[in-house]
Amino acid sequence: LGAELYGDASPSSDVEVISLMLAMLQLADVPDVHMDLGHVGIYRGLARAAGLSGEVEQQLFDALQRKAIDEVVALTADLPQELASMLRALVDLCGGREVLDAARDRLSAAPAPVLAALDDLLAIADRLAVRFPQLPLYFDLGELRGYHYHTGVVFAVFVPGVGQSIAQGGRYDDIGADFGRARPATGFSTDLKTLVTLGQAEIVLPSGGIWMPDSTDAALWQQVCQLRNEGQRVVQALPGQQVSAAREADCDRQLIQHGEHWQVMPLAS
């Protein structure tokens, strides 16, 4: 369960996707949510500026995920001091909104792509704070979830007592290149079972149902669409199915044709 937004590379798209995800959690009445935010472009830009080999970049990636500062120091020992300091800073650039202000200072000498990534993260954070002022936001600039897939902001929602994220997503620009059309993209995903388990919203299902005969009549289909838009449960009969199948599907009514019109009638006994 989730959503994707294609064709726009601005932070506005990320904010819209995150807002949709949070609105969905609100509708499910999932309590006590908080969100983690990061941006893979920050580490990626610093690693490229440092000219790290693929092996060292992966080792440093692993060390950052574990916040293993001693390993990070060792892996950056041969780099220019300025780059080494900025890569090491990613270990402890985590916390509340103040982390982003600290990052502007500690990464001020970073290459332009890193500063652009930080600007995007700041813009997203500020707009989310306006839309969801009660939502706790946690920032981790060493958070590299989906590093080999995502290209920009990454985010995840957590709740107390659950050891993993219940909804997550991020930006993955140019993912469509493999299919012949590269486009900016951002999106999120979650699990319906998780929402049902954690959510406190009362789920009211319609009682009974309406049995729809197997027919190609256009008027019947229009009637079915109207009934479904009204919240009615309409079950399509398959070829050869009898009224007994309608009862098994918990239907108590059926659509009967009268002239050119279809009417909902009690299910025949």
Side-chain angles (χ1 to χ4, degrees):
L1 184 65
E4 295 177 306
L5 198 162
Y6 286 92
D8 181 73
S10 74
S12 295
S13 295
D14 299 303
V15 172
E16 180 61 20
V17 162
I18 293 171
S19 298
L20 181 61
M21 177 185 69
L22 293 172
M24 179 190 63
L25 295 175
Q26 288 177 340
L27 285 173
D29 199 12
V30 178
D32 302 323
V33 302
H34 64 273
M35 189 164 67
D36 289 8
L37 286 149
H39 198 301
V40 300
I42 295 173
Y43 172 68
R44 182 172 287 133
L46 291 173
R48 288 177 178 173
L52 300 179
S53 67
E55 180 181 0
V56 174
E57 182 179 352
Q58 183 61 45
Q59 290 174 343
L60 187 55
F61 167 89
D62 293 338
L64 282 170
Q65 297 310 283
R66 293 180 282 109
K67 306 294 185 187
I69 184 59
D70 291 342
E71 293 180 37
V72 172
V73 169
L75 288 166
T76 56
D78 295 331
L79 296 179
Q81 183 59 42
E82 194 170 59
L83 271 172
S85 296
M86 289 189 289
L87 282 165
R88 294 167 187 173
L90 299 183
V91 174
D92 55 21
L93 279 173
C94 51
R97 174 63 173 74
E98 69 280 357
V99 163
L100 301 183
D101 296 325
R104 294 293 294 268
D105 179 55
R106 298 178 68 178
L107 304 180
S108 60
V114 174
L115 298 179
L118 185 56
D119 285 343
D120 283 352
L121 192 55
L122 281 160
I124 292 167
D126 288 343
R127 292 181 65 176
L128 288 176
V130 172
R131 292 189 179 189
F132 305 94
Q134 304 304 316
L135 175 69
L137 295 176
Y138 179 86
F139 302 91
D140 187 347
L141 302 197
E143 170 55 60
L144 301 173
R145 180 185 292 107
Y147 178 68
H148 299 294
Y149 175 72
H150 289 296
T151 60
V153 65
V154 289
F155 50 86
V157 174
F158 296 86
V159 296
V162 179
Q164 59 187 10
S165 62
I166 65 166
Q168 56 284 313
R171 177 163 288 281
Y172 38 94
D173 291 342
D174 300 330
I175 193 66
D178 292 339
F179 306 100
R181 187 182 181 188
R183 291 186 293 169
T186 183
F188 78 90
S189 64
T190 186
D191 181 71
L192 182 58
K193 184 177 180 181
T194 298
L195 297 183
V196 173
T197 301
L198 297 175
Q200 299 177 355
E202 182 179 357
I203 300 175
V204 180
L205 298 176
S207 60
I210 302 170
W211 188 249
M212 166 191 174
D214 180 31
S215 171
T216 60
D217 188 80
L220 172 62
W221 177 244
Q222 292 174 1
Q223 179 75 352
V224 167
C225 290
Q226 179 179 337
L227 289 167
R228 287 175 173 168
N229 286 336
E230 294 171 356
Q232 297 287 343
R233 187 173 68 93
V234 182
V235 180
Q236 164 74 60
L238 299 178
Q241 284 188 317
Q242 305 300 318
V243 174
S244 59
R247 297 192 185 92
E248 292 175 1
D250 195 28
C251 290
D252 56 359
R253 290 156 292 161
Q254 61 184 331
L255 280 160
I256 300 293
Q257 188 172 23
H258 292 280
E260 297 180 356
H261 303 285
W262 292 83
Q263 296 182 1
V264 178
M265 305 291 291
L267 189 67
S269 57

